[in-house]
Amino acid sequence: MAIFSVYVVNKAGGLIYQLDHYAPRADTEKTFSFPLDLVLRPHDERVVVAFGQRDGIRVGHAVLAINGAEVNGRFTADGKDVLEYLSNPANYPVSIRFGRHRLSSNEKLMLASMFHSLFAIGSQLSPEVGSSGIEMLETDTFKLHCFQTLTGIKFMVLADPRQTGIDALLRKIYEIYSDFALKNPFYSLEMPIRCELFDQNLKLALEVAEKAGPFGPGS
Amino acid sequence: MSRSPGRKQENHKISRELFVLTYGALVAQLCKDYEKDEDVNACLDKMGYSIGIRLIDDFLARSAVKKCRSYSETADVIAQVAFKMYLGVTPSVSCSNTTGNEFSLILDKNPLVDFVEELPAERASLCYCNLLCGVIRGALEMVHLAAEVSFLQDRLKGDAVTEIGITFLRKPEDRKHRRN
């Protein structure tokens, strides 16, 4: 079972730490001949599959590389527009790699701030007075666990739905934060955490939690 | 003063004497640097504040206390859990006013002054343990409780007991629209 990532958000809603521990990268590379049987369309800064799901290439997957060279958003490595390139029969046969687009750090910052706001809304919507904010967000492919300390720092862990022991892991991450980030005299509060010891100990704690598995007691 | 056990029992205890001596050296150096007692006291308070804002998370992570619902609960937690955890002493708590926002912690034993018998004549208004006041103030501020913390009585100055006064400034209702 796996823990996908860890996010630490400060009191103001800014992301101060992020770790991608395990990314189930299911990239698929295939060679295609003209005409392409997938329907592609531009989305944000990328070219994504809109229709024509087959062989591991899912709707929503982005074009990651053409002929081995990574694409740059909507443009190929040489600067040509991806959609134009792929509509020209002269460029075929072509090998295209599709996969889920990895979030950029700006996107992560934005999403963390959005979650911070949703968390605040969640605690205000509660019919009971003094309820905590969002503790868990469950989807079919992952569970997002959130723990807010009394000082306002939020620790979020995205894990496999079957992974247990995440509550204990969140408490452990709080301890690691209070040890290796806060006790570092050169770390300023609320700023991005750039402490080697914090990284190392966090990865260790994640491995321990993963090894305990779905039946384990966690840390 | 030991690190958290975690999985393997790593008890890196540092000697209490070293800590008391370090604190004494700190105060002595501040006395050399500043002429006025008020400046030394202010400096100690500031240092304590920057310790307190970091110590609070360590305290919350290790003690797992729940959110306090009243000022008296907060004062009790400070005296019975926090002081016990960090200094090994348990002061007694008393509420000193009717509105319920002023409390006193009475320390009968204070490890920081183990080796100090009395203040020198030229330093009569020095608050030797003012660092503690700053720590408490900083820690409370991080859990959104503004407070004024000061020494009301000090054995070093000839009083009978050492008494730390905590005055909570803002009502907890104001925090309702913040997180929960």
Side-chain angles (χ1 to χ4, degrees), chain A residues 116-134, chain B residues 175-180:
Chain A
H116 171 86
S117 311
L118 289 174
F119 186 98
I121 293 172
S123 60
Q124 288 179 32
L125 280 176
S126 163
E128 295 280 327
V129 173
S131 99
S132 78
I134 299 173
Chain B
R175 301 183 288 130
K176 219 182 356 179
H177 8 276
R178 308 276 199 92
R179 13 144 233 112
N180 42 282

Side-chain angles (χ1 to χ4, degrees), chain A:
Chain A
M1 301 304 110
I3 294 171
F4 300 136
S5 48
V6 177
Y7 292 74
V8 181
V9 176
N10 69 9
K11 287 176 238 214
L15 185 67
I16 58 175
Y17 183 80
Q18 199 280 323
L19 175 72
D20 282 322
H21 182 66
Y22 170 74
R25 301 290 293 162
D27 291 354
T28 326
E29 186 152 11
K30 281 203 140 35
T31 317
F32 296 91
S33 54
F34 194 80
L36 201 58
D37 53 355
L38 301 164
V39 176
L40 300 176
R41 65 176 174 87
H43 174 74
D44 285 346
E45 288 305 310
R46 310 187 278 283
V47 177
V48 298
V49 176
F51 203 73
Q53 189 161 292
R54 56 171 263 204
D55 297 332
I57 301 171
R58 318 273 298 270
V59 168
H61 276 192
V63 173
L64 298 179
I66 293 186
N67 289 332
E70 294 215 348
V71 305
N72 191 354
R74 301 238 292 264
F75 298 93
T76 66
D78 321 333
K80 295 198 265 294
D81 186 273
V82 167
L83 289 170
E84 268 181 44
Y85 185 87
L86 291 176
S87 55
N88 185 351
N91 295 321
Y92 285 79
V94 71
S95 153
I96 315 179
R97 178 151 54 96
F98 291 94
R100 261 203 93 210
H101 171 76
R102 204 178 274 126
L103 290 171
S104 74
S105 42
N106 272 344
E107 283 171 337
K108 287 176 187 165
L109 269 163
M110 210 179 54
L111 292 171
S113 310
M114 272 205 269
F115 184 79
H116 171 86
S117 311
L118 289 174
F119 186 98
I121 293 172
S123 60
Q124 288 179 32
L125 280 176
S126 163
E128 295 280 327
V129 173
S131 99
S132 78
I134 299 173
E135 282 184 358
M136 178 155 70
L137 196 126
E138 185 171 352
T139 73
D140 53 352
T141 49
F142 73 92
K143 266 190 194 165
L144 182 153
H145 301 252
C146 181
F147 168 55
Q148 180 176 268
T149 69
L150 291 177
T151 48
I153 312 271
K154 280 186 261 303
F155 298 96
M156 278 133 55
V157 169
L158 273 72
D160 189 289
R162 293 158 290 176
Q163 181 76 40
T164 56
I166 301 287
D167 274 345
L169 174 65
L170 284 168
R171 304 282 181 283
K172 185 86 179 93
I173 298 179
Y174 186 26
E175 264 184 46
I176 295 174
Y177 167 76
S178 79
D179 276 342
F180 299 104
L182 292 186
K183 295 199 180 72
N184 181 345
F186 304 113
Y187 167 68
S188 332
L189 256 55
E190 310 295 292
M191 289 287 116
I193 301 175
R194 305 221 187 286
C195 311
E196 256 308 311
L197 284 174
F198 179 78
D199 279 333
Q200 286 171 13
N201 281 273
L202 181 62
K203 288 184 182 136
L204 216 61
L206 291 179
E207 274 159 32
V208 166
E210 277 183 331
K211 255 191 224 117
F215 314 105
S219 113

Side-chain angles (χ1 to χ4, degrees), chain B residues 1 9 15 43 57 82 118 126 140 161 175-176:
Chain B
M1 282 171 283
Q9 289 282 339
S15 117
C43 201
D57 277 308
E118 61 177 19
L126 175 69
L140 285 173
V161 290
R175 301 183 288 130
K176 219 182 356 179

